[in-house]
């Protein structure tokens, strides 16, 4: 069915004046009130209507010119990442995030009657989005949250606000044209710490979702409201002596260089059995990695890329090209270099810290058991993502069980864990701290027991 459903707001002249940025508000209170009004209208829409609205989001986000605009502008505004990879990420967010079909109902029947376990919306969700996947998170969250019957107020990262406001406008126009209430998606035009605090305290906000680093995740978790926290990781990749080394090298270079290592799921350090390290390094070089082994250059890299206390990456170097990083420390990049690798020790801050840049340290261990132990230690208990290359099923099972990560990729690049060249749905909000895991529509819905008594 393609005919508009709420005809009174589908007239382009009435609903979509071209000089407005639809859904964008200077004031947090106005953004939440508008989303609340939209939610109340949305409550009267049917599931069939929701499906149409979700399709409108998918169609709008996957228009070629919009995919191109989002990719190029994200790199320009955030000053990080790789535009070609961002096209893919946005496409997967729009096409592989589940919609209404994710809300699978359970039913119980007996002589006493029938009970169904259904999904009900929370209401208005406040969603805080990161710089690293600015548009991907808005697209994926909007699909999931609207599919579950909610409206949403986005608070983007200040370094991605222009593009985020543009996207929310595009999505609102597409939604309205498909018959949806205005302002199902709103956004705070100028995000700030005060605006985020106001959003969290707004009485209309029934659920908070933070996709970002530990600070914002802890903030929403201490808000006193229902909160979903999708936080940082430090994904290790283990390679043992049974692995297909050429394939492991290719997958690791592809995964760790994807969008210049911005995804929270991307390989952040390799832990390999020492006997395979020389071949692994050679093969990674064939795939586009460049080795840095001079201790002086390595120290320059740490100085350039890390905070003085070596606890954090320097924001200005997050998501930069490998070639630019090498040039900044006086090394000429080889043609086609997309990843910097170095063999180092586990205590190297480049190993310990989530760097979010195409610099991948490799640590050697005596055997596979030691590699698994060290990898789990380096993941720092985030329970986020781990990867392993091995043909030994029992070792794969051991690492999966012991790491307790939300995503565990076996013999593939890290991005196959979020549906890119891997089976399964996509999401850009991976909720390790609060346990929802890979979020989808049902993560943003409350459970409702509906009981029909047989004696009626
Ligand atoms: P960030 O924590 O700096 O920012 C995330 C969001 O929180 C932004 O909108 C920012 O404005 C807001 N924010 C942060 N601190 C705040 C404060 N004190 N007050 C108010 N608002 C605040 O993270 P980032 O650099 O944008 O993204 C990278 C981080 O996010 C990495 O640690 C990465 O692992 C993580 N991440 C996790 C997931 C996931 O699904 N688990 C997905 C993407 C990114």
């Amino acid at each position: 069915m393609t005919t508009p459903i709420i005809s009174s707001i589908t007239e382009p002249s009435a609903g979509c004046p071209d000089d407005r940025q639809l859904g964008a508000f200077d004031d947090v209170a106005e953004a939440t009130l508008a989303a609340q009004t939209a939610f109340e209208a949305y409550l009267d829409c049917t599931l069939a209507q929701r499906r149409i609205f979700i399709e409108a989001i998918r169609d709008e986000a996957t228009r070629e010119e919009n995919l191109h605009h989002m990719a190029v502008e994200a790199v320009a505004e955030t000053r990080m990442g790789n535009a070609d990879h961002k096209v893919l990420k946005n496409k997967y967010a729009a096409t592989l995030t589940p919609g209404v079909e994710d809300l699978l109902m359970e039913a119980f029947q007996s002589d006493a009657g029938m009970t169904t376990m259904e999904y009900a919306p929370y209401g208005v969700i406040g969603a805080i989005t990161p710089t690293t996947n600015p548009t991907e998170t808005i697209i994926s969250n909007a699909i999931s949250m609207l599919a579950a019957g909610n409206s949403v107020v986005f608070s983007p990262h200040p370094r991605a606000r222009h593009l985020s406001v543009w996207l929310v406008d595009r999505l609102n126009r597409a939604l309205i044209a498909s018959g949806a209430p205005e302002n199902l998606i709103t956004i705070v035009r100028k995000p700030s710490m005060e605006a985020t605090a106001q959003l969290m305290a707004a009485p209309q906000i029934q659920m908070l979702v933070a996709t970002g680093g530990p600070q914002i995740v802890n903030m929403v978790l201490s808000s006193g409201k229902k909160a979903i926290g999708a936080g940082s990781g430090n994904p290790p990749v283990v390679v043992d002596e049974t692995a297909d080394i050429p394939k492991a090298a290719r997958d690791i270079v592809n995964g760790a260089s994807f969008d210049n290592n911005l995804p929270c799921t991307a390989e952040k350090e390799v832990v390999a059995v020492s006997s395979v390290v020389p071949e692994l390094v050679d093969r990674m070089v064939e795939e586009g990695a460049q080795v840095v082994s001079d201790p002086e250059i390595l120290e320059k890299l740490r100085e350039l890329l890390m905070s003085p206390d070596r606890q954090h990456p320097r924001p200005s170097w997050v998501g930069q090209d490998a070639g630019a990083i090498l040039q900044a420390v006086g090394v000429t990049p080889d043609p086609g270099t997309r990843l910097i690798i170095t063999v180092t020790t586990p205590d190297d801050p480049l190993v310990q810290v989530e760097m979010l840049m195409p610099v991948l340290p490799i640590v050697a261990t005596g055997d596979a058991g030691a590699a698994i132990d060290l990898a789990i230690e380096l993941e720092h208990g985030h329970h986020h993502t781990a990867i392993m290359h091995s043909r030994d099923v029992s070792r794969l099972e051991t690492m999966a069980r012991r790491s307790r990560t939300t995503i565990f990729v076996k013999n593939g690049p890290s991005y196959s864990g979020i549906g890119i060249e891997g089976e399964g749905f996509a999401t850009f909000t991976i909720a390790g701290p609060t346990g929802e895991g890979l979020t989808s529509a049902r993560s943003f819905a409350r459970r409702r027991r509906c009981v029909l008594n047989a004696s009626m």
Side-chain angles (χ1 to χ4, degrees):
M1 186 164 61
T2 52
T3 45
I5 291 147
I6 303 174
S7 55
S8 62
I9 56 169
T10 54
E11 297 298 329
S13 58
C16 303
D18 276 330
D19 55 351
R20 267 204 298 154
Q21 290 175 314
L22 298 191
F25 294 86
D26 290 331
D27 188 53
V28 174
E30 280 177 27
T32 52
L33 272 175
Q36 173 69 28
T37 306
F39 170 67
E40 281 158 20
Y42 197 30
L43 270 177
D44 292 331
C45 294
T46 63
L47 280 176
Q49 287 174 292
R50 276 194 216 172
R51 286 199 172 90
I52 291 168
F53 305 157
I54 299 304
E55 276 314 301
I57 296 177
R58 296 192 202 283
D59 291 348
E60 185 63 20
T62 51
R63 280 169 50 182
E64 279 307 317
E65 65 270 32
N66 288 348
L67 284 173
H68 177 78
H69 180 84
M70 287 188 283
V72 170
E73 285 303 310
V75 173
E77 188 177 356
T78 65
R79 300 188 298 282
M80 53 174 82
N82 174 298
D84 289 342
H85 296 163
K86 286 186 187 292
V87 168
L88 281 177
K89 285 166 68 181
N90 283 300
K91 199 183 260 183
Y92 280 101
T95 55
L96 283 187
T97 301
V100 175
E101 71 280 6
D102 192 56
L103 306 172
L104 285 176
M105 190 188 71
E106 274 179 285
F108 306 88
Q109 194 175 18
S110 75
D111 294 342
M114 188 176 75
T115 291
T116 52
M117 296 298 295
E118 302 174 357
Y119 290 99
Y122 273 88
V124 187
I125 297 177
I128 298 144
T129 55
T131 36
T132 48
N133 313 316
T135 50
E136 300 87 334
T137 309
I138 290 179
I139 293 167
S140 182
N141 278 183
I143 291 174
S144 301
M145 291 168 183
L146 267 57
N150 308 283
S151 64
V152 53
V153 182
F154 282 110
S155 175
H157 193 286
R159 262 172 76 174
R161 70 188 178 93
H162 295 292
L163 178 59
S164 302
V165 166
W166 174 88
L167 175 60
V168 166
D169 174 69
R170 298 302 327 160
L171 297 184
N172 272 307
R173 282 172 197 275
L175 282 166
I176 290 168
S178 71
E182 194 174 338
N183 292 321
L184 275 181
I185 306 173
T186 68
I187 187 161
V188 181
R189 203 179 260 122
K190 284 190 190 146
S192 63
M193 289 193 184
E194 300 71 44
T196 308
Q198 220 184 325
L199 180 72
M200 294 200 294
Q204 295 84 6
I205 298 291
Q206 300 290 311
M207 176 192 238
L208 288 160
V209 179
T211 308
Q215 210 180 357
I216 192 64
V217 168
N218 289 337
M219 274 174 78
V220 299
L221 292 188
S222 34
S223 66
K225 293 188 176 177
K226 165 71 185 177
I228 291 182
S232 54
N234 194 33
V237 47
V238 167
V239 185
D240 78 4
E241 73 283 8
T242 70
D244 176 341
I245 301 299
K247 181 182 182 321
R250 186 165 59 250
D251 288 347
I252 294 170
V253 174
N254 283 342
S257 63
F258 188 59
D259 204 14
N260 285 345
N261 202 268
L262 287 180
C264 52
T265 47
E267 294 83 349
K268 297 286 185 287
E269 64 279 338
V270 179
V271 185
V273 171
S274 52
S275 59
V276 306
V277 169
E279 188 191 349
L280 184 66
V281 168
D282 288 349
R283 294 289 186 159
M284 287 174 83
V285 169
E286 284 170 22
E287 297 294 338
Q290 186 162 338
V291 185
V292 170
S293 43
D294 179 336
E296 265 181 42
I297 305 280
L298 259 179
E299 189 49 23
K300 275 191 190 173
L301 270 181
R302 293 186 199 99
E303 257 168 43
L304 176 79
L305 303 177
M306 306 195 81
S307 58
D309 64 2
R310 307 277 159 101
Q311 299 291 313
H312 305 282
R314 274 192 209 274
S316 55
W317 284 99
V318 166
Q320 301 307 301
D321 290 340
I325 295 173
L326 285 172
Q327 274 168 344
V329 292
V331 176
T332 306
D334 295 336
T337 291
R338 51 186 175 137
L339 184 70
I340 300 164
I341 56 175
T342 182
V343 178
T344 186
T345 52
D347 58 348
D348 189 326
L350 291 170
V351 175
Q352 294 286 338
V353 175
E354 183 198 40
M355 294 296 289
L356 299 159
M357 50 186 87
V359 178
L360 188 70
I362 301 169
V363 177
T365 60
D367 60 26
I372 292 173
D373 287 346
L374 178 60
I376 292 169
E377 192 186 316
L378 296 174
E379 212 270 323
H380 301 312
H382 294 301
H383 304 299
H384 195 299
T385 297
I387 304 107
M388 185 168 185
H389 294 269
S390 173
R391 288 190 180 107
D392 185 319
V393 176
S394 77
R395 286 180 189 168
L396 289 167
E397 192 275 330
T398 300
M399 177 138 174
R401 180 166 36 81
R402 294 200 42 224
S403 64
R404 292 182 290 133
T405 48
T406 304
I407 297 177
F408 181 58
V409 176
K410 296 174 262 189
N411 298 318
S414 53
Y415 48 68
S416 60
I418 53 166
I420 302 177
E421 292 177 21
E423 183 48 52
F425 69 87
T427 180
F428 285 83
T429 296
I430 298 147
T434 45
E436 289 78 7
L438 284 88
T439 56
S440 59
R442 71 184 79 164
S443 316
F444 305 110
R446 24 173 122 248
R447 296 287 269 160
R448 172 173 60 202
R449 174 183 272 213
C450 254
V451 179
L452 177 67
N453 202 301
S455 63
M456 266 180 67

